[in-house]
Amino acid sequence: MERFTALIFALLVLCVCGTCGQTCEGNCGNKPDGCSCHPTCTSLKNCCTDYREYCVEIFPYSGSMFGGTDFAVLDASFNESSQIICRFNNNINTVGYVDENSRGHCISPLLYETGWIPLQISSDNGATYNRVGSWLSVHTGKLGLQFKAMQINSTKWQYYGTPNVGGTLQMIWNTSLVKADRVNIELWGYRETGEPYSDYWQGEWTYLYSLAKDQPNSGSFSFLPKPAENGFSSWELGSVRVSSSNYSDGMWNVQAVWTEDHALAWHLEEKFRQNSAAWALEKCLAWDQLENELPNFLTEIIDCPCTLAQARADTGRFHTDYGCDIEKGSVCTYHPGSVHCVRAIQASPKYAAGQQCCYDSTGAQVLTADSIGGSTPDRAHDWGSPPYKKPPRIPGQSHWVYDVLSFYYCCLWSDNCHYYFKHRPSSDCRRYQSPSSAVVFGDPHIITFDGVSYSFNGKGEYTLLTSAEKQLIIQGRTEAVNGTTIKATKLSAVAMKEASSDVIEVRLVSDQSSLEVLKNQKILSFTEQSWMDLQGVFVFSPTSSNVTVMFPSGAGVEARLREGTITVTVLLPEEFKDSTLGLLGKMNHDATDDLVLSNGQLVQNHSNPEELFSFGAGWAVTINSTLFTYDSDYLLDTYYYAPKHDPSFIPVFSVSESQDDPLANQASEICSGEGSQFCRYDILVGRSPRMGNATRVSFRSHISLVDDLQPVTSCGWLSPPTNGKKDGTTYLQGAKVQLSCDDGYTLKGSTERTCQENGLWSGTETSCVAPSNLTGIVVGSVIGAVTLILIITTIVLLSKKQKKRKAARSQEGLTNEGF
């Protein structure tokens, strides 16, 4: 009866709202007259009555791009007769259901993309789709382990059938992910068909066969693999799916849990098991031939950073490779000898290729010319790239097809890595250029890209950076420290966008204990995922005090919560040179013209706090240019309706030193060395030793970042001489490489070469030559010549002697005749 009464009340509300024209049906994101259907309406308390009914929230809000996740539609009203159809991306439908609590559910579909997917929900079997929301599709490699079926000893799965690898395979899963007493275990395969880089190039997932049917949903399954029949062994990449036995074999888009996609060694043909190395070599050679025919993508990918410090600091362009993470024990299966790898965040523009850079324990880049564990570029970026959906931009799978399976063929299942590295050579760092960095911290202190430092304690909303050429805008909001009693301010929010990207805002929550992120004025939750692919921007938030925003231009913005304020670091690649203005300065490696007023004039005196204050005030945003969200009465009154720069707020410009100040001793203890003036200001003016200490930490972190990003000279890879070897695999300035020859060969050139400041190797090219036989040849020739002369002389002498004998006999004959 209670459920029936609630339903009648909901219907009456909908009727009233519809009659008054104040309904969110078809208006989500808008602000109809009299009420709002905009995401800010919840905190402003001006939502239309049916806002939750039509602008729906879901739980969970994310899941694998393989699909099969069951999620509930929160707050909306359904009944037993509701026939739910869930539409994703306007063209993919799945069948939902209503549970025993009258709550609607959807099942996520198999997708070929990641990021937020538009969601529409029908309760009348598809006649109308009047409820809208969004679903976050996640790359399987970034999905938490608790949401996947886990392969026990995954290495065994992918080496199965190679020498000494066999036996039973096992997988486990969380039984709550499949609401069924009995399940089917199915193998699905993935492949890409059509001519590469043509309109006919397609990726496809296909049901292959069942490993088992009608099994108890115990959360575990073991089996003894056999070579696949009916030609299925030609599928070399796939995933195992666990789904309810109530569904027919291979039914699409049902509740299910999947393993990671992996190389299907365990089901390959008998020929593979008989001689896996020969089988793999044949595949490797075929891949080598294919690569010879495909376009060269290596020329358009970004160069790797020279050092591990640079790679971890350049957060606008590179991000940790989850397969080799120093923070998680450096388990680098595909890169032995490396301790950490990063991937270029953005795919290359034309071919959607990726770059991977790996480093050893000394921080030096590992190259494939020296080690199988070296850095390798990718024909297809592992994380995919917009607009996704088609090769080579399909997240994960395209990378597997063109870069990972071939590594198995040539390197892991056979010993023919030279074929692989011919097409995937490491990119060294000779063309790498470090980004420039600027920072805002404490009671706002600013260090520009060119190293100018100053303080600006205006209250309002200001342009930190604008680049018309790159269409990048970053704005900062400041508020008074501890209300109005202290004449200093701090950074409380930062908002940004690039070109047509989503607007990203990072701000303090009301109690200043954490940061929250907004996308187009809607709060994002990072409770399920730490990485989000958004429109024209990526956001990474591993904790509630740490947010990194990455744009296609390579610009990166790091927001860190430090003692009730936000420290913002901006990193810009060299392409931004001479194109930036704002509080963070003109980036051109010239500190003398850093601070440019919005009218184009230069600040003449960088040490005059009043002139600097006027400079900062001149960069206040306008009501038409603001990127910020105003979703509370406080924000509306303080920033939206008020001037963007508060002219009534005059800060304390300088520190008043007094030994009678109770905080003087703490300031002396905490603040020392370079940058101490910022720390002292925040303690003595901001009246907070903890803030002062946080300012000291932020300043030192920035100095460390600048050091990490210092340009490094590389001389490039140095090859060992033929018939010789080298000792040393570091090729940066000052590095020495020892060169030697194999036994029986003589070294010519330099035995040691040093990488010089000019980027060239010292000494001369080294070669190893075989021992010379010239002396033996000469001696043999002389002996041969002498012997020939003796023979000729003997013949001549014998000839003369014979002639004399003939003459003597002739004379004797004449004498006899005379007698």
Side-chain angles (χ1 to χ4, degrees):
M1 183 65 184
E2 291 179 358
R3 185 183 302 173
F4 179 76
T5 303
L7 178 61
I8 293 298
F9 176 76
L11 291 173
L12 286 173
V13 167
L14 294 180
C15 290
V16 171
C17 291
T19 302
C20 297
Q22 299 176 343
T23 177
C24 286
E25 184 175 8
N27 281 317
C28 290
N30 300 323
K31 299 178 180 179
D33 293 338
C35 61
S36 175
C37 302
H38 192 270
T40 57
C41 75
T42 304
S43 53
L44 290 173
K45 297 181 175 55
N46 63 349
C47 296
C48 296
T49 313
D50 59 0
Y51 173 70
R52 292 294 190 187
E53 184 68 34
Y54 293 111
C55 311
V56 299
E57 297 293 329
I58 59 175
F59 179 81
Y61 63 77
S62 65
S64 168
M65 59 182 285
F66 291 174
T69 302
D70 182 324
F71 60 85
V73 183
L74 307 178
D75 301 321
S77 303
F78 298 94
N79 56 50
E80 294 178 358
S81 63
S82 297
Q83 295 178 285
I84 296 180
I85 302 293
C86 308
R87 175 171 291 176
F88 299 79
N89 243 350
N90 299 314
N91 60 358
I92 303 174
N93 291 350
T94 67
V95 178
Y97 67 95
V98 179
D99 65 20
E100 63 278 5
N101 296 315
S102 297
R103 174 170 285 175
H105 290 252
C106 292
I107 307 297
S108 68
L110 175 65
L111 296 164
Y112 294 85
E113 62 183 311
T114 56
W116 287 101
I117 309 298
L119 169 67
Q120 299 167 293
I121 301 172
S122 169
S123 58
D124 54 11
N125 201 30
T128 58
Y129 290 89
N130 53 7
R131 296 177 176 90
V132 298
S134 55
W135 166 254
L136 183 62
S137 173
V138 182
H139 186 298
T140 56
K142 297 176 181 177
L143 197 66
L145 298 179
Q146 67 272 29
F147 302 114
K148 294 183 280 195
M150 296 296 298
Q151 300 158 272
I152 302 301
N153 190 352
S154 60
T155 302
K156 180 179 178 181
W157 283 67
Q158 300 186 85
Y159 278 81
Y160 200 97
T162 62
N164 304 314
V165 182
T168 301
L169 296 179
Q170 182 185 8
M171 55 185 281
I172 58 175
W173 64 91
N174 182 341
T175 57
S176 66
L177 297 177
V178 182
K179 298 175 182 177
D181 294 329
R182 306 192 72 79
V183 294
N184 293 340
I185 315 295
E186 301 173 342
L187 177 63
W188 288 63
Y190 178 85
R191 66 183 176 189
E192 293 182 355
T193 59
E195 181 182 350
Y197 303 104
S198 73
D199 292 338
Y200 304 102
W201 200 9
Q202 299 289 336
E204 63 169 334
W205 277 99
T206 300
Y207 164 75
L208 301 183
Y209 57 86
S210 294
L211 294 170
K213 296 183 180 182
D214 202 32
Q215 296 287 305
N217 186 11
S218 62
S220 178
F221 174 69
S222 300
F223 67 106
L224 185 65
K226 295 185 290 186
E229 300 175 348
N230 303 321
F232 288 128
S233 63
S234 64
W235 295 77
E236 298 164 7
L237 172 64
S239 176
V240 179
R241 187 181 86 166
V242 182
S243 59
S244 171
S245 296
N246 294 328
Y247 301 122
S248 58
D249 294 349
M251 186 172 178
W252 288 80
N253 302 330
V254 298
Q255 186 184 23
V257 59
W258 300 72
T259 65
E260 285 263 23
D261 40 349
H262 59 278
L264 302 178
W266 50 272
H267 97 144
L268 295 178
E269 60 184 325
E270 183 64 34
K271 182 179 177 182
F272 174 78
R273 299 191 180 191
Q274 292 174 354
N275 192 338
S276 58
W279 184 95
L281 174 58
E282 184 178 337
K283 292 284 186 178
C284 177
L285 293 174
W287 174 79
D288 172 57
Q289 181 60 40
L290 174 63
E291 282 290 320
N292 288 332
E293 299 169 0
L294 294 177
N296 178 17
F297 67 89
L298 298 174
T299 57
E300 69 166 6
I301 58 176
I302 186 174
D303 258 17
C304 286
C306 292
T307 66
L308 177 59
Q310 286 180 334
R312 300 189 73 187
D314 192 351
T315 53
R317 295 183 290 181
F318 294 91
H319 189 76
T320 297
D321 181 351
Y322 299 106
C324 183
D325 185 355
I326 197 171
E327 299 292 338
K328 296 182 179 179
S330 299
V331 181
C332 305
T333 304
Y334 299 117
H335 298 278
S338 298
V339 299
H340 192 74
C341 295
V342 296
R343 289 190 181 277
I345 295 167
Q346 308 293 338
S348 66
K350 183 176 181 180
Y351 295 116
Q355 177 66 285
Q356 183 192 49
C357 312
C358 297
Y359 303 85
D360 64 19
S361 57
T362 70
Q365 188 188 1
V366 183
L367 304 180
T368 53
D370 296 322
S371 167
I372 188 177
S375 313
T376 53
D378 301 316
R379 180 168 291 282
H381 198 299
D382 182 22
W383 303 336
S385 61
Y388 305 108
K389 299 180 184 178
K390 293 184 62 176
R393 300 179 182 274
I394 296 175
Q397 282 75 69
S398 289
H399 174 60
W400 260 103
V401 169
Y402 284 91
D403 302 297
V404 184
L405 282 178
S406 48
F407 189 73
Y408 276 87
Y409 299 152
C410 302
C411 299
L412 301 183
W413 292 341
S414 72
D415 188 16
N416 297 282
C417 261
H418 58 283
Y419 287 109
Y420 187 82
F421 294 143
K422 180 176 74 171
H423 300 290
R424 301 292 185 270
S426 294
S427 168
D428 64 25
C429 65
R430 281 177 290 179
R431 294 180 300 152
Y432 173 76
Q433 291 182 297
S434 298
S436 296
S437 61
V439 65
V440 183
F441 61 103
D443 294 344
H445 313 296
I446 297 171
I447 302 177
T448 69
F449 293 106
D450 294 342
V452 173
S453 60
Y454 68 99
S455 296
F456 172 65
N457 272 274
K459 179 188 173 189
E461 296 172 347
Y462 307 93
T463 298
L464 299 181
L465 180 145
T466 179
S467 172
E469 180 181 328
K470 299 294 184 179
Q471 300 181 65
L472 175 65
I473 301 172
I474 305 175
Q475 300 174 351
R477 173 189 288 159
T478 62
E479 64 179 33
V481 174
N482 294 332
T484 59
T485 59
I486 297 174
K487 291 300 181 180
T489 57
K490 63 181 182 180
L491 195 65
S492 60
V494 59
M496 65 209 83
K497 68 171 296 188
E498 182 178 276
S500 59
S501 75
D502 289 330
V503 176
I504 302 301
E505 181 178 350
V506 183
R507 67 187 186 186
L508 294 170
V509 299
S510 57
D511 65 0
Q512 303 182 355
S513 62
S514 62
L515 302 177
E516 66 181 3
V517 182
L518 294 87
K519 174 181 77 80
N520 301 331
Q521 302 189 353
K522 181 177 181 179
I523 297 172
L524 292 175
S525 170
F526 286 87
T527 56
E528 296 177 20
Q529 307 299 331
S530 60
W531 177 282
M532 289 189 188
D533 303 339
L534 306 178
Q535 175 65 41
V537 62
F538 298 105
V539 179
F540 177 62
S541 181
T543 70
S544 61
S545 60
N546 186 333
V547 179
T548 302
V549 183
M550 299 145 279
F551 292 102
S553 65
V557 181
E558 298 178 353
R560 305 288 184 264
L561 174 64
R562 291 228 169 100
E563 200 55 47
T565 186
I566 302 177
T567 293
V568 170
T569 300
V570 180
L571 297 111
L572 297 182
E574 191 65 14
E575 289 79 7
F576 276 83
K577 184 179 178 182
D578 289 321
S579 74
T580 70
L581 293 171
L583 298 187
L584 297 181
K586 184 177 182 180
M587 188 188 107
N588 63 356
H589 311 298
D590 180 3
T592 61
D593 66 352
D594 233 22
L595 304 185
V596 183
L597 296 166
S598 54
N599 62 10
Q601 294 182 347
L602 289 175
V603 173
Q604 298 301 316
N605 188 352
H606 291 183
S607 61
N608 185 326
E610 285 83 2
E611 187 172 352
L612 290 170
F613 186 73
S614 296
F615 158 74
W619 279 108
V621 305
T622 66
I623 192 64
N624 294 323
S625 67
T626 181
L627 300 177
F628 287 104
T629 303
Y630 306 93
D631 56 355
S632 69
D633 291 337
Y634 166 76
L635 292 175
L636 287 170
D637 295 338
T638 308
Y639 297 102
Y640 187 78
Y641 297 120
K644 292 301 182 182
H645 169 73
D646 185 352
S648 67
F649 186 89
I650 306 299
V652 174
F653 290 117
S654 60
V655 176
S656 177
E657 302 281 353
S658 172
Q659 293 302 317
D660 296 331
D661 191 324
L663 297 179
N665 289 337
Q666 291 188 63
S668 298
E669 292 173 2
I670 296 172
C671 309
S672 62
E674 186 182 8
S676 61
Q677 71 274 22
F678 303 131
C679 171
R680 295 183 67 82
Y681 182 95
D682 291 359
I683 293 177
L684 299 177
V685 177
R687 311 308 295 168
S688 173
R690 295 176 65 179
M691 172 71 81
N693 187 59
T695 294
R696 180 182 64 87
V697 170
S698 294
F699 177 82
R700 292 186 176 179
S701 295
H702 179 72
I703 297 303
S704 177
L705 174 68
V706 172
D707 288 342
D708 288 341
L709 290 173
Q710 284 298 311
V712 176
T713 299
S714 170
C715 293
W717 181 71
L718 187 65
S719 64
T722 304
N723 301 313
K725 53 184 173 291
K726 69 176 181 180
D727 182 16
T729 56
T730 302
Y731 310 111
L732 305 181
Q733 182 180 342
K736 298 180 186 297
V737 176
Q738 310 292 330
L739 302 150
S740 59
C741 293
D742 297 337
D743 292 342
Y745 291 86
T746 302
L747 185 144
K748 286 197 171 184
S750 300
T751 59
E752 179 182 274
R753 303 187 71 180
T754 303
C755 181
Q756 303 174 110
E757 185 178 358
N758 61 3
L760 300 175
W761 288 102
S762 67
T764 58
E765 187 175 352
T766 306
S767 61
C768 296
V769 298
S772 175
N773 291 322
L774 181 60
T775 302
I777 293 172
V778 172
V779 171
S781 299
V782 171
I783 293 173
V786 170
T787 301
L788 181 60
I789 291 171
L790 288 173
I791 292 172
I792 294 173
T793 302
T794 301
I795 292 172
V796 170
L797 291 174
L798 288 173
S799 177
K800 288 183 177 181
K801 189 179 286 186
Q802 288 178 351
K803 287 180 179 180
K804 288 181 178 180
R805 286 177 181 173
K806 287 182 179 179
R809 290 193 185 112
S810 298
Q811 187 63 38
E812 185 179 350
L814 290 173
T815 301
N816 290 338
E817 286 183 5
F819 287 129

